Amino acid sequence: MSQTTPRRLLLLCPGRGSYGRAQIGTLPPESPTVRQLNQLRAEAGRPTLTALDATERFFPALHLAGEHASLLTFGYTLADLESLDPDKAQTVAVVGNSMGWYTALAAAGALPLLDAARLVETLGGYQEANVIGAQVLYPTAGDDWRAHAVLTGLVEEALKLPGVYRSIRLGGMTVFGCTREGLSALNETLPKLQRGDRTFPLQLPLHSAFHTPLMALTSARAQVDLKDLPWRSPALPMVGGDGNHYGRTASPAVIARYTLTTQVTDPFDLNLCLRAAMGEHGPDAVLLPGPGNSLGAATAQILIQLGWRGLRDRRDFEEVQASPRPLVISMDRPEQRALVCR
């Protein structure tokens, strides 16, 4: 393949909460996207993205609050995409994890930037002083990133507890959505597990139980508040967390219905999403724009599950990642960013 042939990329937009300590002070204020979103926030009487990014350090109570975290991730991702070099990178399809679906809508052209931002701000704003239930992480893969039968069994049993639901299937990780009672039951039932510096089950701070029936009223409210959004068929194909394809001729009404109903109240299956997108579009690599580096392990685990390009385990994946043509390109990593940016 010629060095000038652009890589065919599946774009995976990260979800809320991806903006963290490593991103403080790195949001480009000169970005056209950031400037527009700053104006939107200022007009709404909220701190601008630039102001949030310019704090002396990362404050979880501030930066992880739904009314700030959602648009921070949205804006950071879309600003990052402005740096792509069309001679190096060709996006063939767009997906997003959880709230990243809203970013994907803007990236694929299913909603104009400021309308997608309004969607993000509305759903994030609902969470202000109103966190509904909780989200909790627990692994289902071993250290080799292959599916682990015992851990998978523990998760399946935990899903039978009252008030406990599957929120996201995230590679070798399950995200539970639960009521407060369900949260207590999870913590009592699931054995403690240490992975690096993280202890599971791990509750995500200030996260509501999205992608579960607990968000039914949120969905109903959003359908009323956002009924005038100018939905359109995407310019780039998309795949949702239900595994369904939304191509260039997809009905705007169908995309709107999925976004404001199913995507809010039903499990978001990133494994199914990537399986469908990889199978349909056969990209050279999955692109993780900032701040999406944390999705690297989950993406690798899904590719291992698929046996993509012969991958069997973590060692195989790390060998490919060390080659000139990695299967996952993270724009948060300078050496990988250079593969797709000017």
Side-chain angles (χ1 to χ4, degrees), residues 299-318:
T299 304
Q301 289 156 3
I302 295 169
L303 296 182
I304 290 167
Q305 289 174 17
L306 295 175
W308 191 258
R309 308 281 172 84
L311 293 179
R312 294 166 299 179
D313 54 25
R314 181 174 183 171
R315 179 178 295 180
D316 283 352
F317 176 76
E318 290 176 345

Side-chain angles (χ1 to χ4, degrees), residues 157-165 177-186 189:
E157 286 301 310
L159 287 168
K160 298 175 183 177
L161 295 168
V164 176
Y165 306 88
C178 50
T179 61
R180 290 185 179 180
E181 294 75 18
L183 176 61
S184 297
L186 271 181
T189 302

